[in-house]
Structures are given as structure tokens and as C-alpha cells.
Amino acid sequence: MGKDGVPGGRDDTTAVFMISVAAELAGMHAQTLRTYDRLGLVTPHRTSGGGRRYSSRDVELLREIQRLSQEEGVNLAGIKRIIDLSNQVDALRARVGELTEELDRSRSRRGGELVPVPRTSALVVWQPRRRRSDGQGRSEGQGRSSEGQQRPSDA
């Protein structure tokens, strides 16, 4: 799936601009776009001949990079981090949406009933089993909880 949500890349309805047009639309020099591509700030689609093709989304991203740099004073490394985190947030929001839909489907299959699980403040301490027996038929370090109560497995 391509970055525009279309299998294999862009669909036919997405506007695509050559580097000179994208640079003009973003108010930048074409060399700046090449630099941003090299740094990974914007990754345009490539033609079979290697030419860069910028989508409307790419042009909007270029404008945002310019705004962050000029108006906010953020350096390129900071801008890259902001873009990466924004992409991560978008991906997480999409995943939350998927999980919400899955939960709704699950609730509808079960009749919408959830069973409450009581909260507890009990502390369970796990201790690995030891080979040596303590004479009571159980290995050392097992059979008792941290409060000295017998564990369910010993009952």
C-alpha cells in the first residue's frame, strides 16, 4: 500500500507535479526540494526514469516544513522528528480505529456483555522452582505466597 492509501502508490485522481512546479507551489527552490528528499523530510513518488513527482500532500508538507523553519525557528533535524512523530500519531490513531471496530464487532457477537473483573491490590511474587526438596514434598520457593498463604496450586 502506498503512502496515499492506494495499493501500489498513488491513484489516477491524485495531482502530481514535477519538481519545478512543486517548488513554485511551495515557494521554494527546486534544489531545496532535492535536499529535503535526500534528508527524508519529503519522499516524492519516483518515475521509472527516476524523476521526482510530488503530490498535493507533498506540497502541503513542504509548506509546513517551511513554516516550521521560518516562523517557528525549528532546525531540519527537529522538523524531521516532528514529521516522524506526526506520522506515528496518525498510524496509532488508525490502529485505535481498527481496534475500536474490532471491539464493536466482538461485542455484537457476544451480545454486548462484558464481565467485570474485580480489582485487587494483592501482590503475586514468582520465584523459580529449585531442584532441591525441602522435605515437605514441594520444591523450595514454591507453594506459598508472599503473605505466607497457601497458593491455589498447593490446595
Side-chain angles (χ1 to χ4, degrees):
M1 178 129 350
K3 71 179 185 178
D4 292 336
V6 178
R10 306 184 195 296
D11 66 8
D12 293 333
T13 62
T14 303
V16 180
F17 308 104
M18 293 175 41
I19 191 167
S20 58
V21 176
E24 186 175 331
L25 289 170
M28 299 177 179
H29 192 278
Q31 189 59 40
T32 304
L33 274 63
R34 290 183 189 96
T35 300
Y36 290 172
D37 182 12
R38 190 179 70 250
L39 295 173
L41 294 172
V42 177
T43 308
H45 180 72
R46 295 287 184 144
T47 64
S48 58
R52 294 172 176 88
R53 295 295 183 260
Y54 292 84
S55 68
S56 296
R57 182 176 180 266
D58 293 332
V59 172
E60 287 302 315
L61 183 55
L62 289 166
R63 289 178 181 151
E64 180 64 10
I65 292 169
Q66 186 174 44
R67 186 192 69 76
L68 287 169
S69 176
Q70 293 178 355
E71 295 177 19
E72 304 294 331
V74 181
N75 65 22
L76 294 179
I79 292 171
K80 178 149 179 51
R81 184 74 174 139
I82 290 168
I83 292 169
D84 290 345
L85 290 172
S86 295
N87 290 339
Q88 187 177 8
V89 166
D90 291 343
L92 289 171
R93 282 185 178 142
R95 183 65 178 139
V96 166
E98 292 168 3
L99 291 173
T100 301
E101 290 173 7
E102 185 178 330
L103 179 60
D104 290 344
R105 284 191 305 273
S106 176
R107 284 180 176 161
S108 67
R109 282 192 304 265
R110 298 174 133 203
E113 294 182 35
L114 294 178
V115 179
V117 178
R119 295 187 123 195
T120 179
S121 61
L123 173 66
V124 178
V125 179
W126 178 84
Q127 296 177 350
R129 293 182 180 198
R130 298 202 175 121
R131 299 265 180 212
R132 192 175 59 159
S133 177
D134 65 359
Q136 296 182 2
R138 64 176 183 257
S139 298
E140 254 185 76
Q142 77 179 81
R144 301 265 178 213
S145 71
S146 62
E147 298 169 352
Q149 299 171 347
Q150 190 166 5
R151 291 184 189 160
S153 63
D154 291 339

